[in-house]
Amino acid sequence: MDDSLISSAYSQALEVIASVEPRIAAATRQELTDQRGSLKLIASENYASPAVLLTMGTWFSDKYAEGTVGHRFYAGCQNVDTVESLAAEHARELFGAPYAYVQPHSGIDANLVAFWSILANRVETPYLAKMQAKNVNELTEADWETLRHEFGNQRLLGMSLDAGGHLTHGFRPNISGKMFHQQQYGTDPGTGLLDYDAVAAKAREFKPLVLVAGYSAYPRRVNFAKMREIADEVGAVLMVDMAHFAGLVAGKVFTGEEDPVPFAHITTTTTHKSLRGPRGGMVLAQEEFAADVDRGCPMVLGGPLSHVMAAKAVAFAEARQPSFQTYAQKVADNAKSLAEGFLTRGANLVTGGTDNHIVLLDVSSYGLTGRQAESALLDAGVVTNRNSVPADPNGAWYTSGVRLGTPALTTRGFGHDEFDKVAELIVDVLEHTEAGTTKAGGPSKASYVLGDGVADRVTSQSAEMLDKHPLYPGLVLS
Ligand SMILES: *Cc1c(COP(=O)(O)O)cnc(C)c1O
């Protein structure tokens, strides 16, 4: 791709935007400068290609397209049909999935579609047959009451938030923890690893309708064949949320029993994390769930974002290139380099390391909460996010951990030496940060004091690496 094309495309677009609201054009320019100038270690973020980003800025945004390909509630959807069909086809090929639904606007929306389709598919009631036969008018008020009661009395077993699961996997305050009777499985208190026997025991006792596997902060691989065995034994539907690691699946780093798609009844994902596409979600499913998933919009979701579906198609086409497999392997290799960098400098890692794209650093040995560590690191230009560790004494707000991921900086071209250096810089900040005090003089979980000169020292060393591996090389805004 010709760099000057991309440079002029963005420069001109920003001029058009500035002619209406210059402050938005300025903020957009500043965001590029900021992203270029910081060490982005947020495990759920990445940098999509200019082709993916440009695809989102078109008139597909103006089109309503509720329904599915060929069955729309709006007229004139022939080009949206082309886009959605292509995105779904690329997704099926990329993941070897029988069926792909590319409409969800985000990962959480994809999970809501999955929950809805599992309920619709598996909750046996005579009323449901009538609903699906479109004879809803035959349902009496009493029928609806029974239906609500049955839908609302199902069970879900998911990974707990502090073990690395996601809010939508049955966390009480989330809608998933309110619409389902929920129980959670954790990790082994000794090793921090998933204990499949403990999950199986819980499943046998609880007998969930839905067993959710997948994570946002677990630094290890999962054996999905084992999870499916557990689901089958108790008659549960296995739903895998691969939002975080879809790029490692697409890039063939997770294969065999570590690839969830052949084992899960339903697989959900985001498209913007390790998969490096536009901000969005997707549901992959076995054939038996396809018709129910297809009702996602308008039963659960608002009208599809056709411009984003187009960008998903472009991103999936990129992910089908051999270069994406090289990228995904580097993401995993770099996480190992980062983890080793910490371990050789005496830091504590949850599970003692990583074999995916995540490193979960326990910062309590530095006398800090996750919140203090996150803020001090940000002062030094290192962008991370605080995260609970298993059985976290500081709860989900202050936390005791910092979650780090390699997808974004790997996209910039960082390799082993750079990630080792990143660990050195982070340890430098944490060793020179002290917990602060509250106004009343007691210990604070939020305030902190960063040692003199540390921010400058770290910032200048990261600048060297960032300059060597520019973000969107060749993109120059006029
Ligand atoms: C990020 C994430 C989500 C939510 O994705 P959004 O696009 O922010 O809605 C859901 N599940 C898991 C496991 C995630 O990591």
Side-chain angles (χ1 to χ4, degrees):
M1 177 52 62
D2 183 347
D3 288 340
S4 69
L5 264 183
I6 296 167
S7 297
S8 62
Y10 277 109
S11 299
Q12 290 170 24
L14 284 164
E15 251 179 69
V16 174
I17 296 165
S19 72
V20 180
E21 177 44 292
R23 289 169 296 183
I24 292 298
T28 307
R29 284 173 181 271
Q30 189 58 43
E31 179 63 20
L32 179 62
T33 305
D34 292 354
Q35 290 205 21
R36 281 178 159 168
S38 60
L39 275 184
K40 190 201 271 201
L41 287 155
I42 294 185
S44 50
E45 292 188 5
N46 211 328
Y47 306 104
S49 73
V52 168
L53 298 179
L54 284 166
T55 306
M56 283 188 279
T58 78
W59 27 91
F60 268 123
S61 173
D62 300 332
K63 190 74 198 92
Y64 242 117
E66 274 179 27
T68 50
V69 174
H71 299 87
R72 304 286 185 187
F73 292 85
Y74 287 80
C77 294
Q78 60 282 0
N79 299 311
V80 179
D81 281 355
T82 302
V83 159
E84 184 169 353
S85 305
L86 269 173
E89 181 188 316
H90 277 310
R92 288 192 306 268
E93 293 292 327
L94 181 60
F95 291 103
Y99 167 78
Y101 186 63
V102 297
Q103 292 190 17
H105 310 162
S106 78
I108 287 183
D109 291 11
N111 286 350
L112 288 173
V113 171
F115 293 148
W116 160 257
S117 62
I118 293 167
L119 290 171
N121 190 275
R122 287 295 167 94
V123 177
E124 305 268 341
T125 84
Y127 314 115
L128 211 59
K130 286 189 197 168
M131 266 179 71
Q132 277 162 356
K134 300 201 171 62
N135 295 334
V136 279
N137 295 339
E138 289 175 18
L139 295 181
T140 65
E141 271 313 305
D143 289 342
W144 283 110
E145 191 54 40
T146 312
L147 190 61
R148 276 195 292 275
H149 184 76
E150 291 182 12
F151 263 47
N153 264 305
Q154 301 299 324
R155 296 176 189 167
L156 176 140
L157 176 62
M159 193 178 202
S160 69
L161 194 64
D162 73 348
H166 190 256
L167 294 164
T168 52
H169 300 180
F171 183 57
R172 268 274 157 82
N174 183 265
I175 189 169
S176 59
K178 293 178 178 136
M179 67 190 276
F180 289 104
H181 297 288
Q182 58 79 42
Q183 280 196 17
Q184 307 266 279
Y185 59 85
T187 45
D188 181 87
T191 60
L193 298 174
L194 250 182
D195 175 349
Y196 296 94
D197 293 336
V199 177
K202 212 156 217 182
R204 276 182 213 119
E205 192 189 308
F206 186 49
K207 300 216 174 352
L209 171 72
V210 192
L211 174 64
V212 186
Y215 52 79
S216 303
Y218 180 65
R220 295 289 174 176
R221 301 184 184 191
V222 173
N223 183 316
F224 296 106
K226 284 190 187 167
M227 295 305 278
R228 175 61 188 256
E229 232 173 79
I230 296 170
D232 284 347
E233 190 194 325
V234 302
V237 172
L238 177 63
M239 169 178 157
V240 175
D241 180 351
M242 63 170 182
H244 247 266
F245 55 89
L248 299 183
V249 178
K252 309 275 183 268
V253 175
F254 292 180
T255 57
E257 300 189 338
E258 293 166 356
D259 175 356
V261 179
F263 296 103
H265 294 90
I266 296 197
T267 305
T268 59
T269 186
T270 60
T271 50
H272 50 273
K273 298 184 181 176
S274 55
L275 192 49
R276 209 162 66 179
R279 188 154 293 280
M282 174 165 68
V283 179
L284 305 174
Q286 303 299 330
E287 283 295 352
E288 68 174 306
F289 288 93
D292 295 303
V293 171
D294 262 345
R295 293 191 185 90
C297 167
M299 294 303 158
V300 180
L301 296 175
L305 311 176
S306 304
H307 55 309
V308 180
M309 291 197 293
K312 286 172 187 172
V314 174
F316 299 158
E318 288 176 350
R320 291 182 67 191
Q321 302 293 318
S323 58
F324 192 83
Q325 296 187 13
T326 310
Y327 163 70
Q329 189 56 53
K330 280 189 191 149
V331 166
D333 293 346
N334 283 338
K336 285 233 184 302
S337 303
L338 181 63
E340 279 160 25
F342 281 122
L343 293 171
T344 56
R345 293 173 178 91
N348 285 338
L349 302 181
V350 173
T351 77
T354 179
D355 51 29
N356 55 24
H357 62 296
I358 294 171
V359 171
L360 188 53
L361 180 62
D362 184 337
V363 296
S364 51
S365 59
Y366 299 100
L368 301 171
T369 63
R371 165 100 187 239
Q372 289 160 331
E374 175 195 87
S375 306
L377 287 167
L378 191 61
D379 290 348
V382 184
V383 189
T384 65
N385 65 283
R386 65 186 186 277
N387 209 100
S388 307
V389 301
D392 201 308
N394 289 320
W397 179 250
Y398 293 110
T399 80
S400 306
V402 169
R403 186 187 65 167
L404 308 158
T406 52
L409 290 179
T410 302
T411 295
R412 281 183 82 139
F414 277 46
H416 170 82
D417 293 351
E418 287 87 356
F419 275 101
D420 180 64
K421 184 76 184 174
V422 167
E424 180 191 316
L425 297 179
I426 290 175
V427 168
D428 189 13
V429 171
L430 299 179
E431 281 180 343
H432 294 95
T433 302
E434 282 180 27
T437 49
T438 61
K439 281 197 184 113
S444 167
K445 290 186 177 191
S447 69
Y448 60 96
V449 183
L450 180 59
D452 281 343
V454 180
D456 287 345
R457 174 166 83 223
V458 168
T459 308
S460 71
Q461 292 178 81
S462 14
E464 244 174 68
M465 291 191 286
L466 293 167
D467 289 347
K468 207 170 126 207
H469 300 286
L471 173 61
Y472 305 125
L475 167 56
V476 183
L477 295 181
S478 58

